[in-house]
Amino acid sequence: MKTILRIAKTELRTLFYSPIAWFLMIVFLIQCGVIYLGMLEAMARSKEAGAVLLGSMIEYLFLSNQGLLPAVLRNLYLYIPLLTMGLISRETSSGTIRLLYSSPIRVREIVFGKFLAMMIYSLLLTGILAIFVVSSLFQVKSPDTGMLMCSLLGIYLLLCAYSAIGLFMSCLTTYQVVAAVCTFVMIGLLSYVGTLWQDIAFVRSLTYFLSISGRTGNILLGLITTKDVIYFMAIIYLFLGLSIYKIKAGMESRPPVVKAGRYALVIVSTLAIGYISSIPSLVGYYDATRAKQRTLTPNVQKIIKELGDAPLEVTAYNNLLGRHWDLGSPDSYNRNLARWEPYMRFKHNIELKTVLYYDSAYEIPNMSRFYPGKTLAQIAKQIADSRDLSMSQFKTPAEIRKIIDLKPELNRYVMQLKYKGKTTFLRVFDDNKEWPGETEVAAAIKRLLQTRMPKIVFLTGHLERNINKLGDREYRVLTNLTTFRNSLLNQGFDVDTLSLDTQQIPGDISALVLADPKVALTAADMEKLRQYIDKGGNLLVAGEPGKQEILNPFLRQLGIQLMDGTLVQTSKDLQPELVTPYLTANAATLYPALTHAHHDSAMVSMPRATALSYADTGAFTIKPLLTTNMRICWLKKDKLVADSADIVFSPDRGDERKTFVTAVSMTRKINNKEQRIIVTGDADFMANAELQRFNLNAANFVFNTALFSWLSNGEFPIDSSRPGPEDTTILLSKAQVKFLRIIYVWVSPGLLLAFGAILLIRRKRK
């Protein structure tokens, strides 16, 4: 060990007696300072401009695309080759390597000593990063210290891996520039190798393990896994081992077979280590984040553990002609494995399979017009050829239909979960995330565990909103549109329809929905609804202006009425009949996600709504959920003509201006349980058009989910929400950031430059 330390000391002395080490440290310090302070100044400017800073400031500073750590990672590979290029090649070109050969020093001591020197220099570079990490602890309120420390560990491990690669490349040539170029190339190969041969099951595991690309991702985010740490150790072992045997090959006269065998032994043992360390049951995890952000939420963990020891089979059916082909293509296996890894952490026997097929893509209408005169098989063959795929990999339409009927799933990419003989579908969605989140996965697993799911029944027979149509005012998006993440079906509910004319209301449903009937309820219908309410059934009633007389007779028994008239709201951009009431504090208690959504500007969009009047003196406890802003909204009593001149407040015509309630919750104790009822003055806030509207800062998605969650006693959706970040405030002003810029970008590099220059000048004089 003493010899290793002496060699490391000598190597460090050589390193710091050359300008390159000082130059790289100064450049690295300036680069980090410019990026960090640029981000910090942008936040300080926003703060002083009165903007509300949302989200984690630490993640923005260090982990966003423009943040410090991603910028460092993009350029880190440029630094190490310039330092490692002379580690061995310098000895070889000058002839001093022969002195080392003839000395009693062992080859491994030479390699370990030089690598130790690089480890120390890498620690110095990490220390420069630590300056900004430590600074952030005093510049951001309540920073996540654990995540920051993990990030430094990830950078250091990557630097050490790069150093080992550079050391080996330095053994291959006497030319230092060639060694540097070879190091660049090897790092590039290790970054690219993970994309090679991903369609070959055995090979893809090995190449994916060797890939260095993205290996620091989890660690930077605060999640340490044994397989990632072992990977860096294995890469260091691989290249140090190859370095030792390369140097020995120059000292010894051995048969080529022996030399090749040594190299093969190091490579095979590295791959074996990688294979074993990647077995899900052997992987250890440590989430260093304060709120355990990189771990499944407790509710989801509990559901996963309910599966017990029985295996969970996940079979992905991927249509060659489908829109989401890339999610299940042959080279996507490892990406999907990474998506399922958080769940495999708590259940090791999740088995992933993929079935490839081709069939009509119902989500891409008129596909045949792009391939005139061709059959479905010919279209599939042309697409497969363009992707270098063999048609033997795909099941034909007839073959796949014998296995499973995917037409209800539009023949798109879908995963079938199978557990103890029960199956259910887990879908991908047409949004930016595509992949199902914890809530959707947990809901699908819960379907495998429960005999019945909460059922929401929508009444029909009086021209109510239709849950199977995609018209603007209908309810399919809300209820059962498979491609929509927030539909009740994908959140764990069952939905159905019921006609009061011919059917009785079941007693085991979670809630009944009466949405905008357009013809009056009959006496028999009213009686069925009364009996349902008297038994304590949960209910949602959504009315519309102009139809008050249809619902008010029924609502009278609940002590609530739809007020005459239509609410209007002044806006320079929107139609006057579009009202945007605010969420109340009562609404925030319905569902955890609403707690985070509830703030001064959280609103729900309601086209053509009316107000509710009630007296909280009956059997029900009534609480307002949505209220209007009296400054811009009033109740217009006469007919609203939206395409006429500007709508004006006319008290002489009966218009009222005050804070109106557009949605209420009602509760009471009956039959040893809490009965829950929702009444709203609008039915369009749940309609397809509003749920697909993106031009408003509206909380319709979350609010609708909250209502049905509350009506089903919070059973679904599965709560996978996380506490909001605490580090949402910076503690600096713009002037203070400018002062820090002088310190970090000018003074500190200047002092480092002066110290290095003095050291080099004194060394040269000696």
Side-chain angles (χ1 to χ4, degrees):
M1 187 62 187
K2 290 182 179 180
T3 304
I4 294 174
L5 292 174
R6 284 199 300 269
I7 293 175
K9 183 178 179 180
T10 302
E11 189 61 42
L12 284 172
R13 187 181 294 111
T14 302
L15 194 62
F16 282 102
Y17 283 157
S18 68
I20 187 67
W22 295 101
F23 175 75
L24 290 179
M25 288 177 63
I26 292 169
V27 170
F28 188 66
L29 176 58
I30 293 174
Q31 178 196 18
C32 293
V34 169
I35 296 171
Y36 176 78
L37 292 168
M39 302 285 285
L40 198 63
E41 184 177 10
M43 289 191 295
R45 290 180 182 275
S46 297
K47 178 184 175 183
E48 292 187 9
V52 178
L53 300 179
L54 300 175
S56 168
M57 296 296 100
I58 289 296
E59 290 192 12
Y60 176 74
L61 279 171
F62 290 97
L63 299 176
S64 63
N65 290 334
Q66 300 82 27
L68 179 57
L69 295 180
V72 167
L73 287 177
R74 287 191 291 268
N75 299 298
L76 202 58
Y77 72 96
L78 298 173
Y79 292 90
I80 298 302
L82 300 178
L83 297 166
T84 59
M85 63 183 182
L87 288 177
I88 302 297
S89 59
R90 182 177 61 248
E91 309 284 359
T92 306
S93 61
S94 64
T96 55
I97 191 68
R98 295 178 182 177
L99 296 176
L100 293 174
Y101 288 166
S102 60
S103 69
I105 301 175
R106 297 175 181 177
V107 171
R108 64 172 179 267
E109 292 175 334
I110 299 172
V111 172
F112 291 161
K114 290 181 176 291
F115 180 69
L116 178 59
M118 288 306 305
M119 287 180 65
I120 295 173
Y121 189 87
S122 297
L123 192 61
L124 291 175
L125 292 180
T126 307
I128 291 175
L129 267 178
I131 293 173
F132 301 95
V133 168
V134 173
S135 295
S136 70
L137 302 182
F138 302 96
Q139 296 159 359
V140 177
K141 182 181 178 181
S142 301
D144 193 337
T145 308
M147 183 180 68
L148 291 172
M149 296 301 106
C150 269
S151 298
L152 292 177
L153 173 63
I155 295 294
Y156 181 66
L157 290 174
L158 185 63
L159 282 169
C160 290
Y162 284 171
S163 298
I165 296 170
L167 177 60
F168 173 63
M169 294 302 156
S170 183
C171 297
L172 300 180
T173 177
T174 59
Y175 299 100
Q176 295 187 30
V177 175
V178 174
V181 172
C182 289
T183 304
F184 288 133
V185 172
M186 180 54 68
I187 292 174
L189 287 175
L190 287 178
S191 300
Y192 178 71
V193 70
T195 64
L196 299 177
W197 305 300
Q198 292 299 292
D199 55 341
I200 304 174
F202 175 72
V203 178
R204 70 185 172 204
S205 298
L206 300 180
T207 57
Y208 191 73
F209 164 73
L210 286 174
S211 176
I212 203 169
S213 178
R215 278 291 178 175
T216 57
N218 283 332
I219 303 179
L220 294 184
L221 293 173
L223 180 64
I224 300 175
T225 67
T226 54
K227 68 175 184 178
D228 287 335
V229 174
I230 290 174
Y231 168 80
F232 287 110
M233 299 298 182
I235 290 296
I236 292 170
Y237 159 77
L238 170 65
F239 286 100
L240 292 187
L242 293 176
S243 300
I244 290 171
Y245 287 128
K246 177 62 179 70
I247 294 174
K248 280 189 174 182
M251 298 172 57
E252 303 172 343
S253 178
R254 297 273 187 171
V257 175
V258 174
K259 295 180 180 179
R262 288 173 169 175
Y263 296 139
L265 177 63
V266 174
I267 295 172
V268 171
S269 59
T270 300
L271 294 176
I273 292 171
Y275 177 80
I276 295 172
S277 66
S278 298
I279 296 175
S281 59
L282 299 180
V283 178
Y285 298 85
Y286 175 69
D287 188 346
T289 59
R290 178 169 46 213
K292 304 303 176 186
Q293 295 285 338
R294 314 307 169 195
T295 306
L296 294 180
T297 55
N299 286 340
V300 179
Q301 289 184 40
K302 181 180 178 182
I303 292 171
I304 296 293
K305 290 177 181 177
E306 288 178 15
L307 291 171
D309 297 327
L312 174 66
E313 296 180 13
V314 181
T315 303
Y317 292 94
N318 194 23
N319 187 358
L320 174 65
L321 308 181
R323 182 179 297 166
H324 298 281
W325 159 257
D326 289 341
L327 293 178
S329 59
D331 61 354
S332 68
Y333 176 81
N334 283 305
R335 293 194 297 272
N336 290 339
L337 190 64
R339 293 183 176 112
W340 280 98
E341 184 179 357
Y343 306 93
M344 292 180 174
R345 174 180 174 181
F346 299 97
K347 183 171 178 59
H348 305 313
N349 55 346
I350 296 179
E351 304 170 8
L352 303 184
K353 303 176 183 178
T354 300
V355 175
L356 304 180
Y357 72 99
Y358 71 90
D359 203 345
S360 301
Y362 296 109
E363 59 181 342
I364 307 177
N366 302 321
M367 175 180 280
S368 58
R369 67 175 178 164
F370 300 107
Y371 304 90
K374 292 190 176 183
T375 64
L376 193 64
Q378 291 171 331
I379 295 173
K381 179 69 166 59
Q382 182 174 337
I383 294 176
D385 290 343
S386 70
R387 295 171 177 169
D388 296 325
L389 299 170
S390 170
M391 287 302 293
S392 62
Q393 298 175 264
F394 299 92
K395 295 188 180 299
T396 64
E399 291 172 337
I400 193 64
R401 290 169 191 170
K402 289 181 180 179
I403 299 172
I404 188 172
D405 181 15
L406 294 174
K407 186 175 181 180
E409 298 297 324
L410 304 178
N411 284 345
R412 54 188 271 140
Y413 181 90
V414 68
M415 291 168 281
Q416 185 188 58
L417 275 55
K418 185 176 182 181
Y419 172 76
K420 291 185 177 181
K422 294 182 65 176
T423 62
T424 190
F425 285 120
L426 178 62
R427 304 169 181 89
V428 296
F429 307 106
D430 293 337
D431 53 29
N432 293 334
K433 294 181 180 178
E434 285 191 316
W435 200 259
E438 286 184 45
T439 299
E440 293 76 44
V441 173
I445 293 175
K446 201 70 174 175
R447 284 186 180 276
L448 301 175
L449 294 169
Q450 292 189 184
T451 55
R452 61 176 295 274
M453 305 297 281
K455 179 180 285 188
I456 309 296
V457 173
F458 289 75
L459 291 178
T460 62
H462 304 86
L463 302 180
E464 294 94 341
R465 303 298 175 95
N466 194 307
I467 69 170
N468 296 311
K469 292 184 178 181
L470 283 172
D472 284 352
R473 305 190 74 202
E474 311 301 346
Y475 281 3
R476 187 177 177 189
V477 172
L478 168 72
T479 57
N480 61 10
L481 185 63
T482 58
T483 60
F484 182 61
R485 182 183 303 273
N486 294 88
S487 71
L488 296 177
L489 180 67
N490 290 319
Q491 295 297 308
F493 296 90
D494 286 336
V495 293
D496 203 352
T497 58
L498 181 146
S499 173
L500 291 176
D501 294 336
T502 59
Q503 297 171 279
Q504 296 295 324
I505 303 174
D508 61 347
I509 64 175
S510 294
L512 188 69
V513 179
L514 177 59
D516 187 25
K518 298 174 182 61
V519 296
L521 301 173
T522 65
D525 297 338
M526 297 272 281
E527 178 60 22
K528 289 181 179 179
L529 288 172
R530 185 191 63 78
Q531 292 177 7
Y532 174 77
I533 294 172
D534 290 345
K535 291 178 181 178
N538 294 343
L539 178 69
L540 189 154
V541 181
E544 280 282 300
K547 303 166 191 171
Q548 288 91 335
E549 70 280 359
I550 295 176
L551 279 176
N552 276 343
F554 165 68
L555 292 174
R556 191 170 294 115
Q557 63 179 306
L558 300 176
I560 192 167
Q561 292 284 276
L562 301 175
M563 296 179 67
D564 292 335
T566 303
L567 288 170
V568 296
Q569 180 173 305
T570 57
S571 171
K572 64 178 181 179
D573 297 318
L574 304 174
Q575 289 292 100
E577 71 268 22
L578 180 59
V579 180
T580 54
Y582 295 114
L583 295 169
T584 66
N586 296 323
T589 64
L590 299 184
Y591 183 59
L594 268 188
T595 304
H596 305 304
H598 172 60
H599 50 78
D600 291 341
S601 62
M603 62 184 70
V604 172
S605 61
M606 287 186 155
R608 294 192 67 86
T610 189
L612 304 175
S613 64
Y614 59 91
D616 194 4
T617 57
F620 289 94
T621 299
I622 304 177
K623 296 180 180 179
L625 302 179
L626 299 174
T627 57
T628 62
N629 184 345
M630 65 178 296
R631 292 177 299 176
I632 60 174
C633 183
W634 69 89
L635 183 65
K636 185 173 181 58
K637 289 299 182 72
D638 57 353
K639 185 177 180 180
L640 172 65
V641 182
D643 58 353
S644 64
D646 290 341
I647 309 297
V648 295
F649 175 64
S650 303
D652 56 320
R653 295 184 179 181
D655 292 359
E656 295 182 46
R657 184 190 293 274
K658 63 179 182 178
T659 297
F660 292 101
V661 175
T662 61
V664 299
S665 65
M666 308 175 65
T667 58
R668 69 172 175 176
K669 290 291 184 180
I670 185 171
N671 296 332
N672 296 319
K673 71 170 187 176
E674 183 179 70
Q675 183 179 25
R676 299 181 173 187
I677 296 176
I678 299 287
V679 180
T680 69
D682 174 58
D684 287 325
F685 75 98
M686 296 186 289
N688 298 333
E690 285 310 297
L691 294 182
Q692 293 173 329
R693 183 194 297 267
F694 297 103
N695 61 338
L696 280 175
N697 180 27
N700 288 50
F701 291 130
V702 183
F703 183 68
N704 289 331
T705 302
L707 295 184
F708 289 101
S709 174
W710 186 71
L711 290 171
S712 63
N713 299 309
E715 187 177 0
F716 285 90
I718 304 299
D719 179 17
S720 62
S721 60
R722 303 175 187 274
E726 298 179 23
D727 53 333
T728 56
T729 304
I730 63 168
L731 307 176
L732 298 177
S733 65
K734 185 177 63 176
Q736 290 172 320
V737 175
K738 289 183 176 180
F739 175 75
L740 288 176
R741 185 186 298 276
I742 295 174
I743 299 297
Y744 288 147
V745 179
W746 297 101
V747 175
S748 296
L751 292 175
L752 197 59
L753 176 62
F755 183 79
I758 292 172
L759 185 67
L760 293 175
I761 291 172
R762 291 186 63 185
R763 173 65 177 174
K764 187 175 181 181
R765 287 178 178 176
K766 291 181 179 180

